[in-house]
Amino acid sequence: MTDPAKALLAALRSRCRPNARLHAMRSDTTPWRSLLFDGERHILDVVLEGPDVEGALRDLRHASIEADLRLPGHLLVELSVDGGEPQAAGQMVRLRALTLEAGSALSA
């Protein structure tokens, strides 16, 4: 099974192209469990740099509405895009996500 944080970061980078490059500055992952599911909560601080940072932000916000990023072996069930602090070479953004292991529901 793939690492959901790495798969999430790769999917987000792909979503931002060709408008901007996404660079991870900080990544924090904590286990998450419910009665039926196992997963992880992710916080990613990223910087967007490139010719159309606003376009990349729009693409990320659209991905958060649709939650349609493909993560092998996992399901993205929640994604939020917080703020956007201007940096010298781009824009800092905080992404929060919840991923679940595909097939992690317990049998009744």
Side-chain angles (χ1 to χ4, degrees):
M1 190 169 297
T2 62
D3 177 352
K6 288 181 182 178
L8 177 60
L9 193 55
L12 292 168
R13 281 185 174 129
S14 178
R15 181 56 67 108
C16 288
R17 281 187 222 119
N19 296 327
R21 291 171 309 284
L22 183 145
H23 303 285
M25 303 304 288
R26 184 180 78 88
S27 174
D28 185 38
T29 299
T30 56
W32 180 92
R33 292 189 109 149
S34 72
L35 183 59
L36 299 176
F37 299 100
D38 291 330
E40 295 179 336
R41 285 217 174 267
H42 310 275
I43 298 175
L44 301 167
D45 290 335
V46 301
V47 172
L48 297 172
E49 301 173 330
D52 187 8
V53 169
E54 290 302 317
L57 271 172
R58 276 192 308 275
D59 290 344
L60 288 176
R61 288 191 174 110
H62 181 70
S64 72
I65 293 167
E66 299 294 322
D68 64 350
L69 299 175
R70 296 190 191 281
L71 308 177
H74 296 84
L75 303 170
L76 176 65
V77 295
E78 181 181 300
L79 175 66
S80 68
V81 180
D82 298 335
E85 298 175 23
Q87 301 290 305
Q91 193 158 7
M92 176 75 82
V93 178
R94 174 164 283 179
L95 304 167
R96 299 174 191 269
L98 174 62
T99 58
L100 300 180
E101 292 178 17
S104 69
L106 299 174
S107 308

